[in-house]
Amino acid sequence: MLRKPLERGIHGRRWLVASTQQLNAGMGNTCKRCFSVEGAETEEDEHEILFFSLRHAATVTLKEMHQFGAQANNKRALLLAAQFLHEELPIRLARRVRELKKLPFGLGETAAMTQVRKLYEKSFFQIRRTPTPKTLEIEENFTQVLDRMMSEHNNVQATVARGLQELLTREGDFAMHQRGIISREHIPGSIASFDFGQFLDRFYLSRVGMRVLVGQHIMLHHPQDGFIGIIQTECQPAFVCSHAIQDAQHICQLSYGVAPNVQMEGSIDMKLPYIPEHLHYIFFELLKNSMRAVVERYKEEQPNKHWTADELPPVSVVFAEGDEDIAIKISDKGGGISRSGMERLWTYSFTTAGKTREKLHQLEHDDKPVMAGFAHGLPLSRIHARAFGGDLQVMSMQGHGTDVYIYLWKLGDREVSVP
């Protein structure tokens, strides 16, 4: 899992090793340099971020994390893991900063996206000014830095969603393009060729990857029975799903006064090494979508009727175990999605719930949970599924309902290149 620091170059070129050593030599001891804690403010800061952004992130598999984490009681293993993160995280943070600066349509200059970029720059310099963990005392301090960084990044998703809404409101052409009202031919060539969906896929895949690596290292300091870091050695998807069902039903009940029942069937006893937090996120987002679709469909048909859970068609969750992967199907009878909606299903500006801006305002100023409307839940669920070689697919019949298929790579050894 761990690669020795400074041995990776751009496309394998070893000149970067010497360049890194020269950079550090020129700066003196990294931890002694006066870095900005709010982001890049000097030309030297900008050059350092650019330097790291040109390097490639390492590829890590769930199986490698599981096997290496099993050695965490070995203090040397913890030091090696910390040294890997000390070298790896600045690369991933710098690559995201560079992309955020290059966004067209002024997206990178919106208040929300500037806030995200500054946060990533701040985290970059916090790690860079922390000494390389060569002793257990320094490693402990470094882990505390990572823990604070995780907390500071908790609201990035909502901030990015707010930035997109800010741009959609301000930029007419971009808004019409995202909604399919105008084609790419009406937008200048360099901007028309930019795919916001691909950018956000890369951004969120990197975010998930960083949070997994950091979360794994932090939790190795807080061992739990049945877990190696954040990886549960015998994770039971049906058990995780049962908790997600309760959470989704609770929010649905608060939002609509009723929530459909959910039926689980199939291979509900199967287990595999996996990250239950990822599974819960996927189940929770998809079940919310299904429950909302069912309730809204039947309330619309009979708005004056007081529906009970038993009167609504249940949501179905089927588990199946194959030789290579696990397949899970979530089915509802919520009326389905139109074909034009299916084409935009994976964009981060499309939601069947609508009123994204109002939902973001509610999230910031109201304690009441939000059922749907951010347009991030479905594409981010696919990101979480793909993070370790799985996938997520949607089939829908307008007038009937929707089936969502979740695939989890059972062996956990697929390499995923994190941008």
Side-chain angles (χ1 to χ4, degrees):
M1 170 183 173
L2 303 179
R3 305 184 184 188
K4 293 181 180 179
L6 313 182
E7 289 188 355
R8 290 167 300 178
I10 299 175
H11 304 302
R13 286 180 279 198
R14 287 197 169 272
W15 62 264
L16 189 58
V17 178
S19 299
T20 306
Q21 294 168 344
Q22 291 165 5
L23 175 67
N24 289 334
M27 293 191 309
N29 190 329
T30 301
C31 66
K32 293 180 180 178
R33 184 182 166 202
C34 295
F35 289 121
S36 166
V37 295
E38 295 302 327
E41 294 181 351
T42 68
E43 187 176 350
E44 188 179 14
D45 291 343
E46 299 284 355
H47 286 169
E48 186 172 0
I49 289 175
L50 175 62
F51 176 82
F52 276 85
S53 73
L54 295 175
R55 301 174 64 182
H56 288 274
T59 301
V60 182
T61 69
L62 192 63
K63 187 175 183 179
E64 289 172 334
M65 290 175 57
H66 187 265
Q67 291 174 343
F68 187 84
Q71 310 171 40
N73 57 343
N74 182 337
K75 297 301 182 182
R76 184 174 180 275
L78 274 179
L79 283 177
L80 287 173
Q83 290 167 14
F84 169 77
L85 292 178
H86 190 270
E87 177 72 11
E88 178 68 18
L89 291 176
I91 297 173
R92 300 188 180 209
L93 289 165
R95 288 172 69 86
R96 301 287 72 78
V97 169
R98 186 182 178 203
E99 275 205 313
L100 286 167
K101 286 182 177 180
K102 292 167 61 178
L103 288 175
F105 274 111
L107 179 58
E109 303 304 318
T110 62
M113 299 306 283
T114 299
Q115 179 182 341
V116 173
R117 176 172 58 80
K118 288 292 186 182
L119 178 61
Y120 272 62
E121 290 175 351
K122 175 183 176 181
S123 299
F124 174 88
F125 289 121
Q126 283 179 333
I127 294 173
R128 287 289 295 152
R129 74 176 179 180
T130 303
T132 301
K134 294 182 179 179
T135 67
L136 292 177
E137 182 180 358
I138 298 176
E139 188 276 332
E140 186 71 32
N141 178 60
F142 177 65
T143 301
Q144 292 175 4
V145 170
L146 296 181
D147 198 9
R148 289 194 299 270
M149 187 183 83
M150 284 276 282
S151 298
E152 291 172 350
H153 284 246
N154 280 341
N155 294 325
V156 164
Q157 178 183 333
T159 306
V160 171
R162 189 168 64 249
L164 284 174
Q165 287 304 307
E166 182 181 339
L167 187 68
L168 284 167
T169 302
R170 192 180 68 189
E171 299 288 348
D173 280 353
F174 175 73
M176 288 189 290
H177 170 57
Q178 286 292 89
R179 295 174 181 134
I181 298 171
I182 65 173
S183 66
R184 289 179 178 268
E185 287 76 13
H186 293 86
I187 303 175
S190 60
I191 297 177
S193 62
F194 187 86
D195 190 321
F196 279 89
Q198 287 187 6
F199 158 73
L200 288 170
D201 281 348
R202 289 193 302 271
F203 179 86
Y204 282 124
L205 181 58
S206 176
R207 170 176 159 81
V208 169
M210 281 192 284
R211 292 184 74 84
V212 166
L213 291 175
V214 173
Q216 176 74 356
H217 183 73
I218 291 172
M219 290 309 297
L220 287 176
H221 285 262
H222 308 282
Q224 304 176 73
D225 290 340
F227 282 79
I228 295 178
I230 60 175
I231 303 170
Q232 189 174 16
T233 53
E234 292 188 343
C235 178
Q236 187 177 354
F239 181 75
V240 178
C241 185
S242 66
H243 283 276
I245 290 170
Q246 294 175 12
D247 295 339
Q249 285 178 327
H250 175 67
I251 291 184
C252 190
Q253 186 77 36
L254 288 176
S255 299
Y256 298 105
V258 64
N261 294 319
V262 180
Q263 299 174 346
M264 293 194 298
E265 57 183 291
S267 304
I268 59 176
D269 295 326
M270 63 182 175
K271 300 175 182 178
L272 77 162
Y274 211 78
I275 303 174
E277 183 182 358
H278 280 204
L279 279 181
H280 184 277
Y281 179 88
I282 295 170
F283 286 138
F284 180 61
E285 291 297 330
L286 299 180
L287 287 166
K288 279 198 306 176
N289 288 347
S290 290
M291 290 180 185
R292 179 183 61 81
V294 169
V295 173
E296 289 188 353
R297 179 188 186 187
Y298 283 85
K299 277 184 172 289
E300 184 177 331
E301 290 179 355
Q302 298 185 49
N304 296 323
K305 179 178 173 60
H306 180 72
W307 291 93
T308 65
D310 291 336
E311 292 174 318
L312 295 172
V315 176
S316 169
V317 185
V318 181
F319 298 85
E321 183 174 10
D323 294 333
E324 296 180 348
D325 57 21
I326 285 172
I328 304 159
K329 181 178 73 171
I330 299 178
S331 304
D332 66 63
K333 297 179 180 179
I337 304 167
S338 67
R339 291 184 64 185
S340 61
M342 288 292 293
E343 293 175 359
R344 295 180 288 146
L345 200 59
W346 304 107
T347 65
Y348 291 84
S349 60
F350 175 76
T351 171
T352 57
K355 299 182 179 179
T356 300
R357 195 172 187 179
E358 288 81 352
K359 301 294 177 61
L360 286 167
H361 185 272
Q362 179 182 337
L363 180 68
E364 294 173 350
H365 299 92
D366 195 345
D367 292 333
K368 185 178 178 180
V370 178
M371 186 70 180
F374 296 127
H376 278 47
L378 192 59
L380 276 179
S381 294
R382 186 170 68 170
I383 290 292
H384 279 79
R386 288 180 171 179
F388 293 102
D391 203 0
L392 191 150
Q393 297 175 7
V394 178
M395 298 292 291
S396 189
M397 296 173 62
Q398 190 173 26
H400 177 71
T402 301
D403 294 338
V404 182
Y405 295 85
I406 308 163
Y407 299 97
L408 306 176
W409 184 246
K410 191 166 63 172
L411 303 181
D413 57 359
R414 277 190 181 171
E415 289 193 346
V416 180
S417 179
V418 180

